[in-house]
Each structure stands twice: as C-alpha cells, then as structure tokens.
Amino acid sequence: MTLHLLALETSSSLCGVALLSRTDDGAIDLKLLEHDAVSEHAERMLPMVDQLLGQAGITPSRLSAVAFGQGPGGFTGLRVACGVAQGMGFALEIPVIPVPSLQAAAAREHVSLSGSAPLQIVVQDARMGEIYLAAYQAGLESGRASWQEVQAPVLLDAAQLGDWLDFAANAWGLTYRSGARLQGDAIQAYPALADLAKGRSWLQIGAPLRSDATSVARLALQVWQEGGGIAPELAAPLYVRDKVAYTTMERELGAGGNPRAPEHFVSLERMQETHLDAITHIEASVQAFPWTRGNFADGLQAGYDAWVAMQSGQVVGFCMTMFAPDVAHLLVIAVSPNGQGRGVGAQLLRRCEQEAVRRGLAAVVLEVRPSNENAVRFYRHRGFELLATRKDYYPAEHGKREDACVMKKRLA
C-alpha cells in the first residue's frame, strides 16, 4: 500500500505544498507546488493543495498524514499552515506532524553522515534587524539520518550573532575539526554575517537556504516511520517572537528578542552536588510543598538523570528524571521566577525527551497538580496527554490532599 504524506510550509514568503508518496518497496516520489509572495498564503494554500492532489490523481481520503512547517516565522504564515493541517487532520481523521522550519532548512544542506558532520547553525531573517537561530547536529541512527537539536530556536539581534557564535564555540567545544556551518536566508538579508567566518577557523559559511515543503515532507516521513505524529488538536505553531511592537525602553531592557549576548544565553549542565543549594532555593520559591535538599541529594545518589540550566553562571532551572525499563518518569522540573517565560523549561523538557530517546524509551510520564493550570497548559502544548488521575496524591493546605494528573507523551 502506498503511503501518501502531504506537507505544507509557509514560515517565510514561500508558500509551498508537497506530496510525498512512498511505495511498499521504498521508492519515493515527491511532487511540489510553490508560490513566492508576501501576504498571499491564506488565499493560495488550499487551491494549491487541491491542484497538487489533482495532479497526483489521488483523493484527500488516501492521505496517511499531513505535516506542516511549525516555524519560527511570520505570525500569519505559521497560522495558515497549522490551521490547514489541523483542519485536514480533523476531517480525514489522520495524524498531524509538526516539523520545525529551521530544522527543515538545515536538512536541505547536503551533509556527509559518514564522518564528523559540522554543527548546522541556521539563521533565518526575522525582519527588524533580527534573526531566528537554531543549531542541529546531523548523524546516523539505526541507518537513518538523524538531527539532534543542540540549540532550540531563539530570536536574536543580527548584530549579536558574533557574540552568540563565540558563546557556542566555548559551550560546545567547536574546533577546526568539529566545526560549524552557518546557513540560512539571513546570510542574504544581512551580508555582513558572512564576515563572521574571519578569525573563526571552525566556522564555514553555507548557502542562504530556506525551509521548503519537500524538506518538511522528508523529515515528516522519518517521524512517521518512527511512529510519530500527534492529534490535530495538539498541533501549534512555534512562535519565538511573542510580540512585534516594542517600545525603545523595552528593547533596551532586552525585549523583542534582543538579549544582551552572551549573558542571556542558557546552557544545560549535568546536576552536581555543588548545585543543590541553588536548586533547593528555586524549588522552595515555586512550590508550596517543595522537595528538600536531601530529596535532591538522594536522587543524585540513586543515579537519576538530572540537569541544571545555567545563565550568567547562575542556576535558573533544573529537572530530574528516572529512567525505567519502558518509560522515562519526569520527577521534578522547575524554573526560577525571574527566568520563567524565556524557554528555559522547554529546553529542560527537550533534554529529558532526548535522553529518553537515546535510551530507546517510547514515552515520558509525569504528575502535575490540576490546580497548576500554567503547568498543565505547558505540558499539553508540548504534546503531553492526560493518561489518568491519581487520587489524593499531593499534600495540600490545611492537611488536605490534592489529586494528580498523570500525563504522558509518546516519543518518536
């Protein structure tokens, strides 16, 4: 039976629709329609889908999944692709596969997987002197190309990219042998970025590539082959710029995606005993019934997987996970009050998921208080579903008890 996968990409001015068809013997056929124009995605997307399916001679009912470029990118474009994908997913009762657009751009660059591939740093024009940035490491896993997210998508002032590159070189030990390639359409939008290779022997300048629908389709196929895909109602765009109009004072304070590099960059480190005082303080500041220092020390002693998020030399967040034979159990995760809303929690959660995948585990489970609506929303937005309810699991005020929502996320 032939697999038919539809892919949509509208994160930039390029509006693209691709149809990937794979036969039982593994042969792949890709068909593509594209239109490059600003502010026309909404009116062109559905007619392009109909046209492409008509050219292929298949009906929508034969589609197995629909993928979309998740972003980051323009607000309107991202909503169009996500909305169409959700609508088709609901109507056809098929899964939706979100694909990070910067990862799709990285996957367009030919990378040899036989040796040590350079780190792929993707920079996409975000207008207003800013860029979207993410970094991916290509490799081989079970005979297939794999892409490890090293830096989650962030918004950065284009003038600060040099500072970020120096931070990255220090944090990840980039050298001439294991270097990095800078690519993406921001190189074309800001020609001065190409000069950043001067004095950085480990940095190559790649092509000004953007994500396209065919690259989204190929990455989505790999997710599909690994049993991935989510319910349509869980699909959401990946917004990095949460606000477009900022005052001059807000920008001077770092708003609008202009962090003062490199002190605002967050890196993850293995939790050590020297971190215990800091994480105990954070835990006490965000939980009414916090873990104690002894609880964290016992977890380290038991060999639980634990990470801290570091910013300007300070611990701003942490997580601790227990790996069972069949599932990863996220025991605790927290971000300091002044570090919340900046993607630190998402970065920690992604590391937990990556470590679980590396161990061959199929899912992550956790417990959360139903009264903690922000946390429940955070987990749902990242693909967790309610699995069960544990009665009287948590201590509550006045000697009472509170139920726990048991949530689960299946991993690709």
Side-chain angles (χ1 to χ4, degrees):
M1 180 179 174
T2 300
L3 164 74
H4 297 293
L5 191 155
L6 187 72
L8 317 172
E9 172 54 87
T10 56
S11 64
S12 66
S13 63
L14 194 65
C15 179
V17 180
L19 178 66
L20 186 152
S21 301
R22 191 200 65 185
T23 59
D24 290 337
D25 60 4
I28 291 177
D29 177 64
L30 263 172
K31 291 180 172 59
L32 172 69
L33 282 180
E34 287 183 323
H35 179 77
D36 198 348
V38 179
S39 304
E40 296 184 13
H41 298 339
E43 63 187 81
R44 290 187 177 270
M45 174 59 68
L46 284 173
M48 289 171 66
V49 169
D50 291 338
Q51 182 182 347
L52 190 62
L53 293 180
Q55 289 176 359
I58 71 168
T59 61
S61 61
R62 293 177 60 190
L63 293 174
S64 299
V66 56
F68 71 99
Q70 191 181 20
F75 284 96
T76 303
L78 295 184
R79 288 197 295 269
V80 169
C82 180
V84 172
Q86 281 185 309
M88 296 186 70
F90 279 121
L92 302 173
E93 297 183 347
I94 57 176
V96 172
I97 303 176
V99 173
S101 297
L102 297 185
Q103 182 181 349
R108 290 191 63 192
E109 182 90 7
H110 176 72
V111 178
S112 173
L113 302 177
S114 58
S116 178
L119 183 71
Q120 305 293 306
I121 301 174
V122 183
V123 285
Q124 178 178 315
D125 181 19
R127 309 290 180 90
M128 299 187 295
E130 295 175 329
I131 58 176
Y132 298 116
L133 178 149
Y136 302 92
Q137 184 65 61
L140 276 175
E141 189 170 315
S142 301
R144 293 176 181 166
S146 65
W147 293 91
Q148 178 190 0
E149 182 183 76
V150 178
Q151 168 64 60
V154 294
L155 183 68
L156 192 67
D157 191 312
Q160 293 179 324
L161 179 57
D163 292 323
W164 186 92
L165 290 170
D166 293 334
F167 165 84
N170 265 340
W172 301 320
L174 299 177
T175 65
Y176 177 76
R177 283 184 173 274
S178 59
R181 179 183 287 117
L182 186 70
Q183 64 190 67
D185 68 358
I187 296 173
Q188 194 170 50
Y190 307 101
L193 298 184
D195 295 334
L196 293 173
K198 297 175 181 177
R200 296 179 176 90
S201 61
W202 48 269
L203 183 65
Q204 310 166 30
I205 302 298
L209 299 174
R210 290 184 289 178
S211 171
D212 68 0
T214 58
S215 185
V216 170
R218 291 186 184 277
L219 289 174
L221 174 62
Q222 186 169 340
V223 174
W224 173 264
Q225 290 171 328
E226 295 168 352
I230 61 175
E233 64 269 20
L234 298 177
L238 177 59
Y239 292 130
V240 175
R241 176 187 277 141
D242 294 322
K243 182 179 176 183
V244 176
Y246 284 84
T247 66
T248 301
M249 179 175 293
E250 285 176 321
R251 286 190 174 276
E252 288 175 352
L253 292 174
N258 296 322
R260 293 180 295 277
E263 66 265 28
H264 279 244
F265 299 134
V266 174
S267 61
L268 301 187
E269 300 178 5
R270 290 279 183 185
M271 186 186 293
Q272 307 292 335
E273 190 173 351
T274 54
H275 298 133
L276 292 183
D277 289 339
I279 65 175
T280 303
H281 176 74
I282 293 173
E283 173 77 352
S285 69
V286 298
Q287 296 290 349
F289 297 88
W291 278 33
T292 66
R293 190 182 192 280
N295 294 144
F296 289 112
D298 290 344
L300 285 181
Q301 184 67 29
Y304 295 156
D305 192 66
W307 296 83
V308 292
M310 302 295 297
Q311 190 176 56
S312 304
Q314 302 295 317
V315 178
V316 294
F318 61 87
C319 65
M320 182 172 283
T321 309
M322 177 180 68
F323 295 116
D326 58 343
V327 71
H329 189 167
L330 180 60
L331 300 173
V332 61
I333 182 171
V335 177
S336 64
N338 61 0
Q340 294 176 5
R342 301 179 183 177
V344 178
Q347 194 169 340
L348 286 163
L349 186 58
R350 274 192 295 270
R351 179 54 57 89
C352 166
E353 294 171 2
Q354 289 167 357
E355 291 296 318
V357 169
R358 192 168 65 85
R359 289 166 170 80
L361 301 179
V364 176
V365 297
L366 56 86
E367 294 89 15
V368 60
R369 293 176 185 264
S371 60
N372 191 347
E373 295 178 358
N374 287 338
V376 173
R377 192 179 306 114
F378 171 83
Y379 294 127
R380 284 193 180 278
H381 182 64
R382 284 155 183 83
F384 282 81
E385 299 177 330
L386 181 63
L387 183 64
T389 299
R390 289 184 177 161
K391 301 295 292 182
D392 299 332
Y393 183 79
Y394 289 111
E397 294 181 349
H398 311 300
K400 297 181 179 180
R401 307 290 297 182
E402 182 177 0
D403 296 345
C405 295
V406 182
M407 305 189 75
K408 179 178 180 179
K409 179 177 180 178
R410 298 186 182 278
L411 303 175

